[in-house]
Amino acid sequence: MQAAIEEAEKGLDEGGIPIGSVLVYKDEIIGRGHNRRIQSGSPILHGEMDALENAGRQPADVYQNCTLYTTLSPCPMCSGAILLYKIPTVIIGENRTFLGEEDLLLSRGVKVHILQDSTCLSLMTQFISKNPKLWNEDIGV
């Protein structure tokens, strides 16, 4: 989770939304990413999507043996990617500032662990307080 937090902090330093993610295979990070919607003008570069993109093309059995760490509960788009690639485990930093599609993931057999990490919560709470318009844009409000 620390690597995902570092990605979130990197995104914030770049002027973006502080959400980070890492994809881990056999105890090694194969993809890192952070929300880059603002920086890249992208409608889809959430932290999880960026981590998957940066992992590059992988065989199905790699994804099926990965764990995805994300600082915030995954939205419907990111949850869809998790389901598409059959990533079996997702570790979530916090879900108090945004509750994503955890029930959907659980209903499809994904193991979901929520940490309620204080750093993840603080990053998002402060960002949302200072940037409500950007945050609402990110979640489609």
Side-chain angles (χ1 to χ4, degrees):
M1 183 55 67
Q2 185 57 44
I5 291 170
E6 290 167 9
E7 286 294 323
E9 291 169 337
K10 188 184 298 184
L12 186 61
D13 290 344
E14 294 172 356
I17 299 168
I19 303 167
S21 185
V22 294
L23 187 64
V24 176
Y25 176 69
K26 294 188 176 180
D27 297 322
E28 292 199 26
I29 295 172
I30 62 169
R32 304 174 161 266
H34 52 275
N35 186 304
R36 295 190 309 121
R37 288 186 67 252
I38 305 304
Q39 302 91 310
S40 297
S42 169
I44 61 169
L45 280 180
H46 284 190
E48 299 90 338
M49 302 300 278
D50 193 38
L52 285 166
E53 174 73 15
N54 290 325
R57 185 173 157 204
Q58 300 292 329
D61 68 318
V62 170
Y63 295 117
Q64 293 167 11
N65 288 287
C66 279
T67 297
L68 181 77
Y69 291 80
T70 181
T71 59
L72 186 65
S73 184
C75 75
M77 174 179 64
C78 297
S79 294
I82 291 164
L83 294 174
L84 177 67
Y85 293 109
K86 297 180 175 63
I87 297 169
T89 306
V90 177
I91 312 294
I92 298 169
E94 67 98 357
N95 67 357
R96 291 184 184 153
T97 60
F98 177 78
L99 179 59
E101 297 297 325
E102 296 166 23
D103 287 343
L104 173 63
L105 294 173
L106 288 165
S107 76
R108 299 282 295 273
V110 177
K111 294 176 188 142
V112 175
H113 305 280
I114 303 150
L115 305 177
Q116 301 303 7
D117 180 85
S118 61
T119 301
C120 295
L121 186 58
S122 176
L123 280 166
M124 285 309 298
T125 301
Q126 290 176 30
F127 180 83
I128 292 168
S129 174
K130 292 177 184 174
N131 305 282
K133 186 175 178 181
L134 278 178
W135 174 239
N136 286 337
E137 176 188 317
D138 197 64
I139 59 173
V141 175

